[in-house]
Amino acid sequence: MDHDYDLVTIGAGSGGIAASRRAAALGARVAIVERGRVGGTCVIRGCVPKKLMVYAAAYGDALREAAGYGWRIDGTPGFEMARWADAKASETARLETVYRQMLEGSGVALVEGTARIEGAHTVRVGDERVLKARHILVATGSAPVRDSIPGIEHCATSDDLLDLRELPRQAAVIGAGYIAVEFAGALARLGVEVCMYYRDRLPLRGFDDDLRVRAAAALQAGGVELHPGAAPRKIQQAGERLLLVAADGRTRDFGFVLNATGRRPNTAGLGLETLGVVPEPSGAIAVDAQLRSSAPNVHAIGDVTHRKNLTPVAIAEGRALADSLFGPAPREVDLSRVASAVFTLPPIGTVGPSETEALAAGHRLKVYEADFRPMRTAFIGSTERTYMKLLVCAETDRVLGVHMLGTDAPEIVQSLAVALTAGATKAHFDATVAVHPTAAEELVLLRTPARVVEPKAAVVAPPVG
Ligand code: NDP
């Protein structure tokens, strides 16, 4: 059969772009179809603008702290959301241009429009254009869920929040995952009164419990009013405002409510059913380790799959898939030790299993901890704390996990992830001379375990509510 392209990628987000460029570099003829802005969720309405908002919030902290370092700041500093919004719009536009140029420079054809799969090798774009493809890659990402709680569809999503030109005076955040805690923390630092409603007893389900406890404390210290075990039963529109109705029927109204109750894969309307590919109940496309769907030449990567939903994973998957299809040998991405960050203030960096997960996997653990007031903020009398935790297998001495909440945690943990990938032991940490004065040096100065825990001690706390 004659194909126009060796690969047609649907979705020009981080994963789709990475796969397409790598495939083109390997000599494949590649087209990428995009119905919105090139760059996808991460660049246009996710990680990048979110981090720019967190930076804006951190500047507020820096201004407040500066006086303690001897600075005299005349007048009252104030944050203007509209100015941030303009600067953010310019930056995402710049990045979009860069991505368009990168696609062009790599020889990938950008086809703008909505794609629909019409057959094993056929992708229709809009009404006019039909692309014949040897392989199809679905990289359409995800979108906020809109049916988690009755009435949640009335609430704003992170997309809406990032497009505000004026901050609300008061806001409710529903959920306690990545998006909820990052935006709750940033908004509070920018002067918004924030109430966070969630159903578990602690935020960030799935993270190490010692981090979760400290994340809750940091959110509270940052001014967020926490409501654990209190996800609303329903949300009702009341004129311009939204009523959050609690399980006991009590209500509280807000002018702005953020729906941070998760995201759902973008599979609706793609035409997958024409190939017999049935998305999971979550909407995700199930793929095997080589990112193949149940249809032979249809592949999927990133947030549209049931695997780990993080931008760098989508990029790694995209490159691995291109190598497998057009390179010398098939390749898989190892997801067993993916580091991640949560950009609370201060942020979280984490790699490897939580203590609960490591115990459940049968490890006898030596747990090393440090919990201290960091130099920069202790100097000005702040009560902010940094927390670090090393999980070490008592039998092999391998460092299984590093969990940290504190300034620069994502940067520190990214570097340590290399050591863990290389199989570092606690003896390697002990043999490493510290860089002084840093917070990170504590991680190579931990000598005595805070506790040794037997595998049987693993207890998974049941969720509240
Ligand atoms: P998460 O899955 O992280 O969190 C969803 C939150 O919504 C949880 O607190 C969950 O509660 C709650 N929730 C879900 N359903 C309901 C319900 N019916 N009623 C009440 N609460 C509910 O999703 P996010 O939207 O925060 O993030 C989406 C994805 O984006 C994540 O998978 C993440 O990988 C990615 N992301 C990554 C970031 C990073 O790397 N820094 C930043 C932002 C997003 P419970 O825990 O009780 O289930």
Side-chain angles (χ1 to χ4, degrees), residues 50 148 176-179 182 199 205 231 260-263 309-310 341:
K50 177 275 309 287
S148 47
Y178 283 88
I179 292 181
E182 291 181 340
R199 58 186 177 184
R205 193 198 294 273
T261 57
R263 296 176 64 88
N309 293 347
L310 293 169

Side-chain angles (χ1 to χ4, degrees), residues 41 46-47 50 142 144-145 147-150 152 158 174-183 196-207 212 230-232 259-264 303 307-312 339-343 348 463-464:
T41 299
C47 322
K50 177 275 309 287
S142 64
V145 299
D147 57 0
S148 47
I149 297 172
I152 196 89
S158 52
I174 305 177
Y178 283 88
I179 292 181
V181 297
E182 291 181 340
F183 283 114
M196 217 175 101
Y197 294 88
Y198 50 100
R199 58 186 177 184
D200 204 358
R201 70 193 202 292
L202 288 169
L204 294 172
R205 193 198 294 273
F207 282 74
R212 299 176 72 196
N259 163 16
T261 57
R263 296 176 64 88
R264 181 156 302 147
D303 287 9
R307 286 157 58 99
K308 220 173 172 59
N309 293 347
L310 293 169
T311 299
S340 79
V342 188
F343 293 96
I348 288 171
V464 176

Side-chain angles (χ1 to χ4, degrees), residues 212-230:
R212 299 176 72 196
V213 169
R214 286 161 177 89
L219 284 163
Q220 263 176 326
V224 179
E225 191 181 299
L226 299 183
H227 295 268

Side-chain angles (χ1 to χ4, degrees), residues 96-144:
E96 183 176 358
T97 306
V98 169
Y99 277 100
R100 283 174 178 271
Q101 286 166 347
M102 285 195 311
L103 286 174
E104 201 181 329
S106 318
V108 175
L110 173 63
V111 181
E112 300 197 56
T114 300
R116 192 179 157 76
I117 298 169
E118 292 197 332
H121 298 279
T122 309
V123 176
R124 179 178 289 278
V125 184
D127 294 331
E128 304 287 309
R129 190 132 181 220
V130 173
L131 310 174
K132 293 286 179 190
R134 192 149 71 94
H135 295 280
I136 296 172
L137 169 59
V138 182
T140 48
S142 64

